[in-house]
Amino acid sequence: MNNRKPLLAGLLCAGLLAAACGTSGGGSGGAAAPGPQGFTPPKLAPLAQLGQPEGQLSVLAWPGYAENGSNDPAVNWVTPFEQQTGCKVSVKTFGTSDESLSLMKTGQYDVVSASGDASLRLIASGDVEPVNTSLVPNYADVQPFLKDKPWNSVNGVAYGIPHGWGANLLTWRTDKVTPAPNSWSPMFDTNSPYKGKVIAYDSPIYIADAAVFLMAHQPDLGIKDPYALDQKQFQAAVNLLKQQRPLVTEYWSDYLKEAQSLKNGDSVVGTAWQVTVNQVQKDGAPVQAAVPAEGATGWSDTWMVATKSAHKTCAYDWMNYIVGPKANAEVAEYFGEAPANAKACEQTSDKNFCANYHAGDAAYASKIYYWTTPIAQCLDGRTDTQCVDYADWTKAWTEIKG
């Protein structure tokens, strides 16, 4: 998580999505008609049955998701997997979603832990294939509110196994921000008393945070999904962020740097992850966090199988293992997120961990608008207009930061 900045450097070109998401001609070999998601992926079949483990597995992961003891001898869930399955694991970590897409293009990796701002791009390009969830027994214990979602499934077809999730929280120093805010207004109001002390996330996907604010405060815009913005809605969100720019002291992508900024008082209000809040509180600074009245964006990460993988039985063994109760609990605690497996909460070393991270709280999860790749086909189901795709989000983000 120490640098989850989902920058897009041209991978989500309009051509890629047009080619990958368009319908093909008729006949049994053609792609299915677009469903309500407005997105037709390449026609690929999931693995039908498991074979003998192939003896090796190449894992592409966020830092902290596939620890093998090299960073900390006490943190190792790769070696037990190797011992159980005979699949020798090599791990490559990435720092941004953009980097994960570039690496997946090489065809060298069997599985990837994809955030929602990357998963649709991986599906659209054909780099990952549908998963046969019946071959992943631990899938049965994944929280229902994480299954069959726009960032891990298309038209009812699962493309991965949910792993962990969290919210982008409104965070503030209680000694500097009073009264306790229940709105994102201190971060967006031009008359905010915290001008020059606001810290915001450094990514084009942050445009969705502005859209969430506008959903509540400018309902006449008609925004239903912060990742499905037509040109007028998108421009309103961009304008709001340009208006916010003078308030912002720093845009962060490394949560440890944000923690330091909050601890030092260089920033007093901003967007943060629960792990950041925990770190700052551990360091003794008075910080609180909440999902405010408007709701919040967030992430739900998914393990996905590479279409070109030559080690698919090991890949399925890995997905089943890493979302199993014990491993899922270990990863969640180390990484700082809610585990996807409901039974993982029985395995955490901190018995309050799942309560603190709202792991089984469907009502809390429903307040979160999870990162999803914006595409031209509006994800909110509208067919009478085009939405702004992520390539244009990226261009606008450069303008916003100025």
Side-chain angles (χ1 to χ4, degrees), residues 143 163 324-360:
Q143 298 284 5
H163 172 84
K326 187 173 187 295
N328 203 215
E330 290 175 342
V331 176
E333 283 196 280
Y334 181 74
F335 190 86
E337 65 181 359
N341 190 318
K343 293 181 178 177
C345 293
E346 302 165 11
Q347 303 281 337
T348 57
S349 59
D350 174 4
K351 295 310 171 188
N352 295 318
F353 181 84
C354 281
N356 291 339
Y357 281 79
H358 306 274

Side-chain angles (χ1 to χ4, degrees), residues 293-343:
E294 299 94 347
T297 62
W299 77 90
S300 176
D301 290 345
T302 306
W303 283 105
M304 310 181 92
V305 178
T307 306
K308 296 177 182 177
S309 170
H311 312 109
K312 288 184 181 174
T313 294
C314 281
Y316 271 78
D317 285 347
W318 170 261
M319 291 192 299
N320 189 56
Y321 168 83
I322 203 66
V323 299
K326 187 173 187 295
N328 203 215
E330 290 175 342
V331 176
E333 283 196 280
Y334 181 74
F335 190 86
E337 65 181 359
N341 190 318
K343 293 181 178 177

Side-chain angles (χ1 to χ4, degrees), residues 272-310:
W273 296 321
Q274 186 66 52
V275 66
T276 315
V277 177
N278 294 351
Q279 182 63 50
V280 179
Q281 290 174 339
K282 181 181 176 183
D283 290 341
V287 168
Q288 290 295 330
V291 173
E294 299 94 347
T297 62
W299 77 90
S300 176
D301 290 345
T302 306
W303 283 105
M304 310 181 92
V305 178
T307 306
K308 296 177 182 177
S309 170

Side-chain angles (χ1 to χ4, degrees), residues 43-278:
K43 193 171 179 62
L44 296 167
L47 188 68
Q49 62 184 29
L50 299 178
Q52 282 294 112
E54 300 87 357
Q56 57 183 314
L57 181 72
S58 183
V59 175
L60 186 60
W62 285 110
Y65 269 14
E67 292 296 305
N68 58 14
S70 59
N71 292 319
D72 181 345
V75 181
N76 184 351
W77 39 86
V78 168
T79 300
F81 169 77
E82 292 176 325
Q83 293 168 344
Q84 289 176 27
T85 64
C87 301
K88 181 68 176 174
V89 177
S90 62
V91 179
K92 169 72 174 176
T93 59
F94 56 86
T96 69
S97 286
D98 181 40
E99 186 183 351
S100 74
L101 267 84
S102 295
L103 289 167
M104 284 294 287
K105 289 289 180 193
T106 68
Q108 297 175 16
Y109 304 97
D110 299 302
V111 290
V112 59
S113 63
S115 292
D117 57 305
S119 52
L120 282 191
R121 288 180 277 165
L122 290 166
I123 295 169
S125 62
D127 289 320
V128 296
E129 65 186 26
V131 296
N132 184 343
T133 57
S134 68
L135 301 180
V136 185
N138 284 319
Y139 183 74
D141 297 319
V142 169
Q143 298 284 5
F145 57 80
L146 299 175
K147 295 178 178 179
D148 193 23
K149 297 300 178 183
W151 58 88
N152 59 32
S153 303
V154 177
N155 301 333
V157 177
Y159 276 79
I161 305 299
H163 172 84
W165 60 280
N168 298 316
L169 301 165
L170 174 64
T171 306
W172 67 95
R173 283 190 58 125
T174 58
D175 59 338
K176 304 290 186 181
V177 179
T178 55
N182 188 36
S183 168
W184 292 106
S185 292
M187 290 188 63
F188 289 113
D189 189 341
T190 52
N191 297 316
S192 173
Y194 311 110
K195 182 177 181 179
K197 295 285 187 177
V198 171
I199 190 165
Y201 191 50
D202 188 0
S203 164
I205 207 71
Y206 183 62
I207 294 170
D209 291 58
V212 169
F213 184 79
L214 292 171
M215 287 170 73
H217 295 274
Q218 291 189 33
D220 55 304
L221 286 168
I223 299 173
K224 304 298 183 188
D225 181 330
Y227 307 101
L229 305 176
D230 62 33
Q231 191 59 51
K232 179 181 178 182
Q233 296 165 338
F234 180 75
Q235 195 57 54
V238 169
N239 290 344
L240 180 61
L241 290 173
K242 287 181 176 179
Q243 176 184 302
Q244 182 197 48
R245 182 68 184 92
L247 306 178
V248 176
T249 182
E250 183 180 349
Y251 291 101
W252 68 276
S253 57
D254 184 331
Y255 83 95
L256 292 174
K257 291 181 180 178
E258 185 197 23
Q260 193 65 38
S261 180
L262 287 165
K263 178 184 174 183
N264 294 344
D266 296 332
S267 56
V268 300
V269 64
T271 307
W273 296 321
Q274 186 66 52
V275 66
T276 315
V277 177
N278 294 351

